[in-house]
Amino acid sequence: EEFSVRETPTILFFHEVGDEHEIYKGQKLWEKIFQFGASKMQSFVRVINKDNYGDFITSNPSNHKVLLFTSKKTTPPLLKAISKHYQGKLYFGEVRQSESELVQKFGITKIPTLIVLSEPENYKGVVYEGALNRDGIEKFINKYAYETIKQEVKSSGVKELTKELYKTECNQN
């Protein structure tokens, strides 16, 4: 009664925010229901290409970056779910197989491949070797989620010339 359901089976989808819901009107096959649900999931995954890679690695500088190299045309539901779980702790991106320049720079030979970037400027990362399931992936990335990246303090290269520095750095000539 509360949701005006008049017949069964009825599948209702409730949005993340608010009380709104919608009735699933597709075929009652698990594949179709799964596709419907997956299409409605929130995603905190950014599609990465050679043009926005620099922006991706400089965004959220204190968070580790996780990249999935995939042949899929849409974000896999597993990655959407994990990205939501680690929102604010890790920064997720996905690289399509068609982005051959990035695939080559990272030396990716197998698709799908999940990596945590260790040297983003040099296209290096720690590769996840386990099965692509939620438990395995979470065990792998958990240590990175709760470890902030230490930011190097960049020196301008200019030192103040003090009497002590003059004595140690300069010779008599």
Side-chain angles (χ1 to χ4, degrees):
E1 279 183 28
E2 182 181 350
F3 300 110
S4 302
V5 173
R6 303 283 181 242
E7 61 184 69
T8 60
T10 297
I11 299 170
L12 300 178
F13 170 78
F14 290 86
H15 298 276
E16 299 267 342
V17 180
D19 295 334
E20 291 184 39
H21 69 276
E22 71 184 86
I23 298 173
Y24 172 73
K25 295 179 180 164
Q27 293 177 312
K28 303 284 193 297
L29 301 171
W30 75 265
E31 296 95 342
K32 298 292 184 184
I33 296 168
F34 176 82
Q35 288 172 351
F36 174 77
S39 72
K40 301 293 184 179
M41 290 176 72
Q42 282 185 309
S43 178
F44 300 95
V45 181
R46 187 170 167 186
V47 176
I48 305 302
N49 57 45
K50 65 180 172 119
D51 297 326
N52 68 4
Y53 178 74
D55 183 47
F56 173 73
I57 65 172
T58 56
S59 298
N60 300 318
S62 61
N63 291 0
H64 286 279
K65 313 300 187 279
V66 179
L67 277 181
L68 173 68
F69 291 84
T70 182
S71 59
K72 307 255 188 214
K73 293 184 182 350
T74 59
T75 305
L78 176 61
L79 191 60
K80 286 181 180 181
I82 291 172
S83 74
K84 181 173 179 161
H85 180 78
Y86 288 100
Q87 184 185 8
K89 297 178 185 96
L90 295 169
Y91 197 44
F92 288 86
E94 64 180 313
V95 178
R96 307 273 193 258
Q97 189 173 9
S98 58
E99 282 295 322
S100 55
E101 187 177 325
L102 279 177
V103 172
Q104 187 177 11
K105 283 184 177 181
F106 275 96
I108 301 300
T109 57
K110 183 180 85 169
I111 300 288
T113 294
L114 184 82
I115 66 171
V116 175
L117 300 182
S118 57
E119 295 178 47
E121 300 83 12
N122 297 322
Y123 302 95
K124 293 184 179 176
V126 180
V127 177
Y128 171 64
E129 301 288 348
L132 288 176
N133 60 45
R134 187 166 184 148
D135 288 341
I137 292 171
E138 285 186 352
K139 284 178 186 171
F140 172 69
I141 63 176
N142 234 5
K143 61 183 168 190
Y144 301 102
Y146 299 100
E147 168 187 287
T148 56
I149 297 174
K150 294 178 180 71
Q151 300 296 314
E152 289 183 25
V153 178
K154 295 185 179 179
S155 171
S156 64
V158 177
K159 297 179 186 175
E160 180 182 355
L161 185 59
T162 62
K163 195 173 194 177
E164 292 78 27
L165 185 60
Y166 176 77
K167 287 179 185 176
T168 57
E169 299 282 327
C170 300
N171 63 28
Q172 291 184 5
N173 295 329

